[in-house]
Amino acid sequence: MENDNSNAIQLYKNQLFSAAANGDAKKIAEVFRLAGSAKQISPDDRDERGYTPLMLAARNGHLEATEQLLKIGADARMVNKSGQSALDIASFWNHQPVVDALKGFLVPKMAGCQLELVNYFSHSVVDRQSYKRSDSKHLDEEMRSDRARFMVFGELELLIKKVEGKKEKETVYLTWEDVKDKLDGDDRKHDLVFLGVGNIEKGILMREGVVSPDEDKFVYFAINYKKTPEEEDLPRKGGFFGGRAIMGLRDSDSGIASQARSVLSWHDSYVYCPSCGSTTEMADAGWKRVCKSDACRTHKGAHNASFPRTDPVVIILILSKDKNRCLLGRQGRHPPRMYSAIAGFVESGENIEDAARREAMEEVGVKIGKIEYHSSQPWPFPCSLMIGLIGHAIDDDFKCDKVELDDARWFDKNEVAASYVEGFNRSEGLLIPPPYAIANQLIKSWLQMSSLL
């Protein structure tokens, strides 16, 4: 049965590529009506050359097919193994109507209306309701209600599950009935944090408006057991404690998982007061730690010692003067052949731009001119905030610091594009970080840059 389904999906894909190449807009719509709604195929599927249906339609100058593919959600910024987008291909073959259609789609019609890029771990689908954190009576009632949902960690490993037919894993959410017998208020055994209100299944990104209707909202909490509970003590509902498998979650789970793991990791490390060394206890529903010593100075005024920490990290993709190459570095902990963007922590009293220029000079000896902000990404290992930048080298000379890096090289666009398209299936040559890493998104953005816009 599974083989029959695979054959049917492949048949639909073949029909989609054929329709795009032949300019059959009606057939494209029909294929997506039959298979696209079930997400069996995507308008961004690729052939063996890394071409998408949109690229084939652009190559052959089929305007109606191009418009139909854009209408059903094709990504016009994707590139093939040669680093060419659909716009680049249409322009090369001088298909001006298609070029105009793609330009009109890619260039925002209203300045300032475009929302920012959302990286993995950045999907904020719950309202954190920080103003409720000090209302312990209200949260205690919510925790015991039917609306409560609990993310469960064991020694900072999240309880997740595999779902048949899906590539991404999902978080296992437990109820009060599932966890009540394993919550005895002893913070030596577990930490409990209030995360927010929303609906993971029906919610949308916080930046896009209301999370979900009031009647659909759940109240989310996270628990970290200092010792992973046995299956007979806590229902796992087909799940397992997954370590870094948290990076394989569906997007809607990734943001709240990052939020939970970061703050729980902080609790795991800050048992003692940094100011006086006394023990601390949790407050404000897990968003504060209070020193138990009445004489401690942290009880007077606001002190960083009392609140969860976030460590800012700059990560910069360095481009050559002609913008046709990027400089990537390799660390010993990377898988073989994998290179990534240059990164390092922002130091005290240092702004983002200076930190990026300092890291570039320290690690690869490159002077950076213009710096462009790209996007950011929480990174819950344990509690970093990655600040993604694109930097333009003043000259192309570089010198790799062998203490910081094992190697560094300039890579041309074609090689990077092939690595981006093939991913970890590539048998030889350059590998780049996977899509959940912000370095991948920086590289993708560079590959999608077009002088035609």
Side-chain angles (χ1 to χ4, degrees):
M1 181 69 72
E2 183 176 342
N3 190 49
D4 291 343
N5 188 50
S6 298
N7 290 338
I9 292 172
Q10 188 58 51
L11 176 62
Y12 283 129
K13 287 184 178 180
N14 292 343
Q15 290 177 347
L16 174 62
F17 279 99
S18 176
N22 295 324
D24 192 339
K26 290 183 179 179
K27 184 66 175 179
I28 292 170
E30 178 187 342
V31 170
F32 267 86
R33 181 176 57 81
L34 294 172
S37 59
K39 297 187 177 179
Q40 293 176 313
I41 61 172
S42 164
D44 298 326
D45 285 332
R46 296 179 183 272
D47 65 13
E48 65 280 357
R49 297 177 298 165
Y51 272 59
T52 65
L54 183 63
M55 294 175 193
L56 291 176
R59 161 64 181 84
N60 294 327
H62 298 311
L63 179 59
E64 287 187 16
T66 297
E67 291 174 337
Q68 180 63 42
L69 286 162
L70 292 173
K71 182 179 177 181
I72 60 179
D75 185 351
R77 292 189 179 275
M78 291 184 70
V79 295
N80 60 20
K81 291 182 181 180
S82 299
Q84 300 168 311
S85 67
L87 176 59
D88 295 326
I89 294 167
S91 179
F92 178 82
W93 291 101
N94 200 29
H95 298 310
Q96 196 58 45
V98 176
V99 169
D100 292 342
L102 289 168
K103 281 186 176 182
F105 182 82
L106 288 167
V107 177
K109 294 178 174 60
M110 293 178 60
C113 70
Q114 302 299 299
L115 296 177
E116 63 273 12
L117 174 70
V118 183
N119 290 307
Y120 190 74
F121 287 138
S122 303
H123 293 74
S124 304
V125 295
V126 296
D127 180 354
R128 297 192 179 202
Q129 293 194 349
S130 58
Y131 53 89
K132 291 286 189 182
R133 292 171 183 167
S134 58
D135 191 343
S136 57
K137 182 177 182 296
H138 168 75
L139 291 179
D140 192 62
E141 291 173 354
E142 292 283 29
M143 184 172 64
R144 288 165 166 76
S145 73
D146 293 338
R147 302 200 313 151
R149 295 293 182 269
F150 296 84
M151 305 181 75
V152 179
F153 292 77
E155 300 173 58
L156 294 175
E157 294 190 356
L158 179 61
L159 182 61
I160 58 179
K161 64 181 179 182
K162 295 180 179 177
V163 181
E164 186 177 355
K166 293 185 179 180
K167 182 179 179 182
E168 298 87 1
K169 301 175 184 68
E170 295 182 5
T171 300
V172 176
Y173 293 97
L174 300 184
T175 66
W176 172 248
E177 290 298 317
D178 296 324
V179 304
K180 66 180 182 180
D181 294 332
K182 290 291 289 181
L183 288 176
D184 57 9
D186 188 346
D187 61 7
R188 294 171 300 177
K189 297 179 181 179
H190 56 72
D191 292 317
L192 173 65
V193 175
F194 166 61
L195 299 173
V197 175
N199 189 312
I200 299 298
E201 301 298 332
K202 296 182 180 180
I204 57 176
L205 294 184
M206 283 297 298
R207 74 199 73 198
E208 295 173 2
V210 179
V211 179
S212 57
D214 286 343
E215 61 270 20
D216 290 340
K217 288 182 180 178
F218 294 102
V219 185
Y220 292 95
F221 297 86
I223 308 168
N224 179 47
Y225 291 100
K226 305 302 176 70
K227 182 179 179 182
T228 302
E230 299 296 333
E231 194 160 1
E232 57 267 23
D233 296 328
L234 187 78
R236 296 189 180 182
K237 299 189 176 182
F240 60 96
F241 289 96
R244 286 215 173 194
I246 188 176
M247 291 186 285
L249 289 173
R250 59 181 178 172
D251 286 342
S252 55
D253 282 330
S254 68
I256 193 172
S258 172
Q259 174 192 358
R261 194 186 189 283
S262 292
V263 72
L264 288 170
S265 176
W266 174 69
H267 284 297
D268 207 45
S269 301
Y270 278 73
V271 178
Y272 299 99
C273 176
S275 293
C276 72
S278 301
T279 56
T280 59
E281 60 185 355
M282 190 182 290
D284 282 4
W287 292 90
K288 185 177 181 180
R289 291 198 74 89
V290 177
C291 182
K292 291 183 178 180
S293 171
D294 293 337
C296 183
R297 67 185 180 90
T298 59
H299 292 293
K300 300 176 181 179
H303 292 271
N304 291 337
S306 301
F307 301 96
R309 65 179 292 166
T310 297
D311 301 321
V313 177
V314 289
I315 179 166
I316 182 169
L317 183 68
I318 301 172
L319 305 186
S320 60
K321 290 182 70 175
D322 63 7
K323 300 183 179 62
N324 289 325
R325 296 183 297 163
C326 69
L327 185 61
L328 303 176
R330 168 173 172 74
Q331 294 183 326
R333 60 184 173 83
H334 287 160
R337 300 187 284 122
M338 195 180 93
Y339 286 71
S340 185
I342 303 302
F345 288 99
V346 179
E347 295 185 349
S348 299
E350 187 175 44
N351 66 33
I352 292 170
E353 296 83 0
D354 285 350
R357 291 189 175 97
R358 174 180 54 77
E359 287 292 339
M361 180 57 66
E362 289 177 356
E363 295 192 10
V364 289
V366 171
K367 292 182 179 180
I368 301 296
K370 180 183 177 182
I371 290 178
E372 301 173 64
Y373 173 77
H374 179 270
S375 61
S376 62
Q377 178 187 41
W379 192 251
F381 306 104
C383 48
S384 296
L385 177 64
M386 309 298 293
I387 302 166
L389 308 166
I390 293 177
H392 299 263
I394 293 176
D395 59 58
D396 294 351
D397 295 332
F398 78 98
K399 182 179 181 181
C400 177
D401 181 354
K402 294 293 185 177
V403 175
E404 295 274 358
L405 300 171
D406 283 6
D407 188 31
R409 302 181 196 173
W410 286 109
F411 292 92
D412 65 40
K413 215 165 194 175
N414 286 354
E415 183 172 7
V416 179
S419 179
Y420 174 78
V421 170
E422 296 173 18
F424 276 79
N425 294 321
R426 201 171 198 220
S427 59
E428 59 183 10
L430 171 70
L431 295 177
I432 61 172
Y436 58 71
I438 192 173
N440 180 284
Q441 300 304 311
L442 291 170
I443 290 169
K444 176 182 178 182
S445 181
W446 167 58
L447 292 175
Q448 293 174 341
M449 288 179 182
S450 177
S451 59
L452 300 171
L453 292 177

